[in-house]
């Protein structure tokens, strides 16, 4: 038989592992790998930055449960991808990064882009390896995929020296490796389930917290039944939104601080007591709260707060175990309880405050008024990608999610710049679900102007591939806050902007809409509610090309006063 190259062996190994997507930025020495991947039927999406490519590949892993590949060149290319690997590990999303590296016979000689890649990646991945030979590549690829999805998901790295890419081998000498199976499903001990159910039944102020781990585990059906059957209030984390619809009457997201502070028993479904949940500590939480943890990672149990019950196992499977106990012995938390009355009152008060901010008369839009109109027009099945400080946080509270895994944001690592990469990945998946010309679900990327700046060149990727993405930039001329054009002129007159302009400011009224137009998409500049509504309606009606709506809001616009900010030490 004709000899095969290292690039072909890599591509066929990935295909065997059911890898469908490869994102990357090609160059020496990995161009042939991308070409071989395409020849094997893997879709290659060329991005404009390795970091965005890695963000996109990891989003595929989260949305499908099977990793995509991020393909990068040696040295700087791999270094750029490390941010995406760290983000994937922190979010517990599977991804496989394949990096070209210097030829083996040039190691330590100062080779082109020489860098200790294997050693560097060990800090940011679950599994890191360099195949010892061409014949070993399939086994290493299989283990990289397996490690990325087994246990707590995360990043894997495979290093491919440049001289291996075009080297050839008799295919009979290539080690044959089959596709790795789906991760094994583990259950919690029955006695621990009984203890947890008893704690829930004896609670006076129970609360369920649904995290993105529950979304990844596809636990929506069993969690929805648990909420319904037991009448329990639930609070979703940002990417846990939609596992049970935000519009469900038992969702208490509008009274988040009160729910966390008042609950006496909290069940964590794939959520961690990290900074996003204030470490489970007082005064954000009741000092005597009892925590029930449902997680597949043993090391997470007891992190920051010792749990009253630790249910180790697959989140969907363990939730089913809990549900079975309530099916056998039906129980429901009283809907007229003092706890429910308190939560509903607080939700009503907060809703009125947000409504007043949204409808307040003003010559310019603010965050709340912009989101008010956006929320009225967005399709209920759209995928929301969001990032930016106030933009992400206010949007999280106002945009209702009806479906699981339909919200992607800065996540556990708080990473800004993820938005456009995530949007590219989500749009690829949505388009591929509709191969016969049916309209895919809309992917709507809601960005702060600062966050957009991290990866704005990915507009070209979206336009090149004609992806169904609508980008909405909430533009306040800065990071957290900015200044208007008149104030900017005064600053310019005062002298050197590097010494007089506040560090949070950006150039006022940037025309990001013209960037989209320059690449062949549709760009809209919006200053009023009427313009916003018209541009949204047109963009959502005609879905043949990407669009960007540049929404200029009041630079002094801010969010309503928070009882507890996300960051303990934040004064912003």
């Amino acid at each position: 038989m004709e000899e095969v190259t290292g690039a072909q062996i890599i591509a066929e190994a990935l295909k065997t592992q059911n890898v469908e997507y490869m994102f990357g930025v090609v160059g020496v020495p990995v161009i042939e790998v991308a070409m071989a991947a395409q020849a094997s039927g893997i879709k290659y999406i060329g991005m404009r930055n390795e970091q965005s490519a890695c963000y996109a590949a990891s989003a595929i892993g989260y949305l499908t449960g099977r990793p995509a590949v991020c393909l990068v060149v040696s040295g700087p290319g791999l270094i750029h991808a490390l941010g995406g690997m760290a983000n994937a590990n922190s979010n517990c999303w599977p991804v496989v990064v394949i990096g070209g590296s210097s030829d083996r016979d040039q190691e330590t000689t100062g080779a082109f882009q020489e860098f200790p890649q294997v050693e560097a990646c060990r800090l940011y991945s679950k599994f890191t390896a360099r195949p010892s030979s061409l014949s070993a590549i399939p086994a290493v690829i299989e283990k990289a995929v397996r490690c990325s999805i087994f246990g707590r998901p995360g990043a894997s790295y495979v290093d491919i020296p440049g001289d291996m890419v075009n080297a050839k081998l008799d295919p009979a000498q290539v080690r044959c490796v089959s596709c790795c199976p789906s991760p094994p499903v583990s259950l919690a001990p029955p006695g621990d389930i009984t203890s947890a159910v008893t704690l829930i039944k004896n609670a006076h102020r129970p609360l369920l917290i649904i995290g993105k781990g529950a979304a990844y585990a596809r636990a929506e059906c069993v969690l929805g039944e648990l909420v319904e059957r037991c009448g329990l209030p639930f609070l979703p984390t940002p990417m846990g939104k939609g596992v049970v619809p935000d519009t469900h009457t038992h969702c208490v997201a509008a009274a988040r601080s009160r729910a966390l502070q008042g609950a006496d028993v909290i069940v964590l479904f794939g959520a961690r007591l990290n900074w996003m949940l204030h470490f489970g500590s007082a005064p954000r939480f009741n000092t005597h709260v009892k925590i029930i943890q449902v997680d597949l990672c043993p090391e997470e149990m007891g992190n920051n707060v010792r749990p009253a019950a630790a249910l180790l196992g697959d989140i969907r499977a363990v939730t089913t175990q809990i549900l079975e106990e309530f099916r056998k012995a039906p129980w429901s938390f009283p809907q007229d309880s003092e706890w429910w009355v308190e939560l509903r009152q607080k939700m009503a008060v907060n809703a009125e405050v947000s409504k007043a901010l949204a409808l307040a008369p003003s010559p310019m839009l603010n965050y709340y008024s912009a989101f008010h109109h956006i929320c009225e027009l967005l399709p209920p099945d759209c995928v929301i990608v969001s990032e930016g400080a106030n933009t992400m946080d206010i949007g999280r509270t106002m945009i209702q999610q009806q479906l699981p895994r339909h919200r992607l944001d800065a996540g556990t690592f708080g990473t800004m710049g993820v938005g456009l990469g995530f949007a590219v990945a989500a749009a690829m998946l949505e388009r591929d679900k509709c191969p016969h010309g049916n309209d895919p679900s809309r992917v709507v990327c809601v960005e702060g102007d600062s966050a957009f700046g991290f990866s704005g060149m990915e507009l070209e990727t979206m336009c090149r591939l004609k992806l169904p993405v609508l980008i909405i930039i909430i533009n306040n001329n800065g990071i957290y806050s900015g200044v208007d054009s008149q104030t900017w002129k005064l600053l310019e007159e005062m002298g050197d902007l590097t010494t007089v302009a506040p560090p949070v400011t950006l150039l006022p009224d940037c025309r990001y809409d013209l960037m989209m137009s320059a690449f062949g998409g549709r760009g809209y500049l919006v200053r009023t509610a009427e313009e916003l509504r018209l541009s949204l309606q047109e963009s959502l009606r005609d879905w043949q090309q990407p669009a960007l709506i540049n929404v200029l809001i009041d630079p002094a616009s801010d969010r309503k006063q928070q009882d507890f900010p996300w960051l303990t030490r934040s004064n912003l």
Side-chain angles (χ1 to χ4, degrees):
M1 295 178 66
E2 184 178 349
E3 290 185 320
V4 292
T5 66
Q8 291 172 312
I9 296 171
I10 294 166
E12 289 304 319
L14 293 171
K15 189 68 176 177
T16 298
Q17 299 305 319
N18 290 335
V19 171
E20 296 185 39
Y21 298 92
M22 177 182 284
F23 300 82
V25 180
V26 295
V28 175
V30 297
I31 296 174
E32 291 86 355
V33 176
M35 295 172 66
Q38 288 179 316
S40 71
I42 295 171
K43 295 185 177 182
Y44 175 76
I45 300 94
M47 305 287 282
R48 298 304 298 265
N49 181 279
E50 291 90 353
Q51 215 166 343
S52 290
C54 201
Y55 294 147
S58 66
I60 293 286
Y62 170 66
L63 294 170
T64 69
R66 203 79 186 179
V69 163
C70 174
L71 179 69
V72 298
V73 300
S74 51
L78 185 277
I79 292 170
H80 292 166
L82 291 179
M85 293 174 66
N87 189 68
N89 256 13
S90 182
N91 273 339
C92 306
W93 290 1
V95 67
V96 174
V97 176
I98 296 179
S101 60
S102 305
D103 291 3
R104 287 170 292 181
D105 63 357
Q106 296 177 356
E107 285 184 353
T108 75
T109 67
F112 175 68
Q113 295 184 334
E114 184 176 357
F115 183 72
Q117 297 182 185
V118 173
E119 294 85 346
C121 287
R122 287 200 173 101
L123 288 173
Y124 307 100
S125 61
K126 292 180 63 184
F127 170 78
T128 301
R130 170 190 280 189
S132 58
S133 64
L134 292 181
S135 64
I137 287 175
V140 172
I141 295 289
E142 187 274 342
K143 187 165 185 179
V145 170
R146 178 158 42 90
C147 288
S148 77
I149 59 176
F150 276 40
R152 173 174 276 180
S156 291
Y157 175 68
V158 178
D159 192 72
I160 304 293
D163 57 299
M164 292 182 73
V165 172
N166 290 311
K168 293 184 177 182
L169 185 70
D170 183 335
Q173 294 181 306
V174 178
R175 192 179 308 172
C176 184
V177 179
S178 61
C179 181
C180 77
S182 298
V185 175
S186 55
L187 298 173
D192 292 348
I193 296 291
T194 301
S195 298
V197 168
T198 300
L199 284 170
I200 295 170
K201 288 182 176 180
N202 290 336
H204 298 289
R205 303 161 76 86
L207 177 68
L208 310 181
I209 297 181
I210 300 174
K212 70 175 176 289
Y216 182 83
R218 270 85 176 148
E220 52 266 23
C221 291
V222 287
L223 275 169
E225 183 180 344
L226 181 66
V227 167
E228 285 279 348
R229 182 178 288 272
C230 298
L232 293 165
F234 74 90
L235 175 70
T237 65
M239 276 189 275
K241 286 165 66 68
V243 172
V244 182
D246 287 351
T247 51
H248 196 288
T249 55
H250 292 174
C251 179
V252 295
R256 180 182 186 274
S257 292
R258 183 63 57 87
L260 294 178
Q261 197 172 34
D264 62 354
V265 172
I266 292 177
V267 190
L268 298 172
F269 292 98
R272 289 174 272 177
L273 292 176
N274 53 22
W275 68 274
M276 297 182 75
L277 285 173
H278 315 291
F279 313 105
S281 301
R284 281 110 170 117
F285 284 69
N286 181 337
T287 305
H288 303 292
V289 65
K290 294 181 174 66
I291 299 293
I292 300 170
Q293 272 185 284
V294 182
D295 205 288
L296 53 68
C297 178
E299 292 83 358
E300 190 60 37
M301 299 301 184
N303 194 29
N304 293 322
V305 176
R306 183 179 295 276
L311 306 181
L312 179 65
D314 176 82
I315 293 166
R316 181 172 59 179
V318 173
T319 304
T320 302
Q321 288 181 280
I322 296 172
L323 186 57
E324 285 294 337
E325 292 295 309
F326 287 114
R327 286 170 177 165
K328 289 187 294 186
W331 170 88
S332 181
F333 186 68
Q335 297 302 292
D336 59 353
S337 66
E338 179 183 335
W339 180 226
W340 262 122
V341 170
E342 180 182 337
L343 289 172
R344 288 178 179 131
Q345 287 176 344
K346 183 61 175 175
M347 286 191 288
V349 169
N350 286 346
E352 286 300 316
V353 172
S354 294
K355 183 178 179 181
L357 289 167
L359 301 178
S362 171
M364 296 189 70
L365 291 165
N366 60 44
Y367 285 108
Y368 292 89
S369 58
F371 276 113
H372 171 75
H373 296 289
I374 292 168
C375 292
E376 285 193 339
L377 295 173
L378 286 183
D381 65 341
C382 67
V383 178
I384 297 293
V385 180
S386 187
E387 61 175 334
N390 289 339
T391 298
M392 182 175 64
D393 289 346
I394 296 170
R396 172 184 54 82
T397 63
M398 295 187 69
I399 297 177
Q400 302 295 300
Q401 305 287 155
Q402 306 304 318
L403 298 170
R405 297 171 297 283
H406 275 56
R407 177 182 171 85
L408 302 166
D409 64 27
T412 307
F413 211 30
T415 310
M416 294 299 154
V418 296
L420 299 194
F422 285 176
V424 167
M428 287 294 303
L429 286 176
E430 292 301 321
R431 191 175 69 179
D432 289 351
K433 289 178 185 176
C434 306
H436 303 299
N438 297 325
D439 284 342
S441 295
R442 274 52 171 164
V443 176
V444 180
C445 190
V446 187
E447 300 260 310
D449 51 331
S450 171
F452 172 79
F454 283 90
S455 54
M457 277 300 293
E458 299 304 340
L459 294 185
E460 187 273 335
T461 307
M462 296 174 182
C463 290
R464 172 171 21 106
L465 299 175
K466 295 182 171 57
L467 295 176
V469 177
L470 167 61
I471 298 171
I472 303 173
I473 297 180
I474 307 297
N475 188 350
N476 72 339
N477 302 339
I479 304 169
Y480 303 112
S481 62
V483 298
D484 58 30
S485 55
Q486 185 175 356
T487 304
W488 185 257
K489 289 179 181 178
L490 293 174
L491 290 171
E492 288 180 316
E493 293 171 0
M494 289 171 61
D496 186 349
L497 288 171
T498 62
T499 60
V500 299
V504 295
T505 55
L506 299 173
L507 184 68
D509 305 340
C510 279
R511 295 298 303 273
Y512 302 114
D513 50 297
L514 296 180
M515 288 179 62
M516 178 62 92
S517 300
F519 291 123
R522 286 172 298 158
Y524 302 86
L525 179 66
V526 164
R527 298 179 186 272
T528 67
E530 182 180 7
E531 291 173 342
L532 175 56
R533 295 183 72 90
L534 288 173
S535 61
L536 269 169
Q537 289 167 341
E538 182 176 329
S539 300
L540 293 169
R541 182 172 58 248
D542 179 12
W543 204 249
Q544 300 305 310
Q545 60 189 31
L548 185 151
I549 303 174
N550 186 12
V551 186
L552 302 183
I553 68 169
D554 184 351
S557 176
D558 202 357
R559 63 182 307 183
K560 67 184 180 69
Q561 184 64 40
Q562 302 295 293
D563 293 335
F564 297 109
W566 285 104
L567 295 176
T568 308
R569 293 184 289 108
S570 174
N571 294 317
L572 296 169

